[in-house]
Amino acid sequence: MTTESSIPDDDATQPAMVRADLLAGLFFIIVGLAVFYGAWTMDRLEMRRIHPLTVPGLVPGMLSLALVICGSILAFRSIRTPATGGWQQLGGAVFSGAAGRAVAVMVLALIYTLGLVGTLPFWAATGLFVFAFIMLFECWLAEPRRPWLTSLPWALALAVCTAAVVTWVFERAFLVRLP
């Protein structure tokens, strides 16, 4: 007796995802090479007699090489995988709800890092980010949407707790001065 499963097989890869993997692999290769260039051109501090294994660009350089290798593997695998009609389906995937949520995460992260941190105290920026994230993803981008009055107290409490704990951990445990 055979039963049909709603879980797709690993072999049955969607053509749109194959093409998305190709683009992601190329993106990671380009970013990795750019970071490697920056790490390579970073000051080596020879005049201060710094040991070569402790130069500032060593770890970013190694991480960038790992990124290039992983991006190359992803791109090579996607080139070898047949994906009939993948480019047409990729367009539909780019404008899907999941892609919209991914863009919302990126926009919120950019607002937090480039706009809030440094402008507001760290605890306030972190609390505002967590509050906005919860409200956005529970009340507007979730399926089904939750009423905002039920999410408001939860989001507020979680934002206050997260801001307090993260600030305390960085300042007291890691001894990091926060903006």
Side-chain angles (χ1 to χ4, degrees), residues 3 50 60-61 71 73 84 87 91 115 118 126 132 142 156 168:
T3 59
I50 301 292
I73 292 169
T84 306
W87 292 114
T126 301
L156 189 58
W168 182 84

Side-chain angles (χ1 to χ4, degrees), residues 22-47:
L22 175 62
L23 294 177
L26 294 175
F27 174 77
F28 291 138
I29 291 168
I30 291 169
V31 168
L33 291 173
V35 171
F36 183 78
Y37 175 77
W40 185 262
T41 58
M42 196 176 278
D43 289 337
R44 298 215 188 329
L45 307 174
E46 297 99 354
M47 70 289 283

Side-chain angles (χ1 to χ4, degrees), residues 29-125:
I29 291 168
I30 291 169
V31 168
L33 291 173
V35 171
F36 183 78
Y37 175 77
W40 185 262
T41 58
M42 196 176 278
D43 289 337
R44 298 215 188 329
L45 307 174
E46 297 99 354
M47 70 289 283
R48 294 189 181 172
R49 297 183 185 164
I50 301 292
H51 190 276
L53 293 179
T54 61
V55 297
L58 183 64
V59 173
M62 291 186 325
L63 292 175
S64 67
L65 288 177
L67 194 60
V68 168
I69 291 168
C70 290
S72 300
I73 292 169
L74 187 63
F76 182 70
R77 192 191 83 175
S78 67
I79 288 171
R80 292 188 55 214
T81 305
T84 306
W87 292 114
Q88 291 85 11
Q89 292 179 13
L90 180 63
V94 167
F95 297 108
S96 68
R101 289 187 290 278
V103 168
V105 168
M106 287 188 279
V107 167
L108 280 175
L110 287 172
I111 289 171
Y112 174 68
T113 57
L114 301 178
L116 296 178
V117 173
T119 305
L120 298 176
F122 183 80
W123 60 268

Side-chain angles (χ1 to χ4, degrees), residues 14 89 114 134 165 177:
Q14 296 178 353
Q89 292 179 13
L114 301 178
I134 293 171
V165 168
R177 290 179 37 134

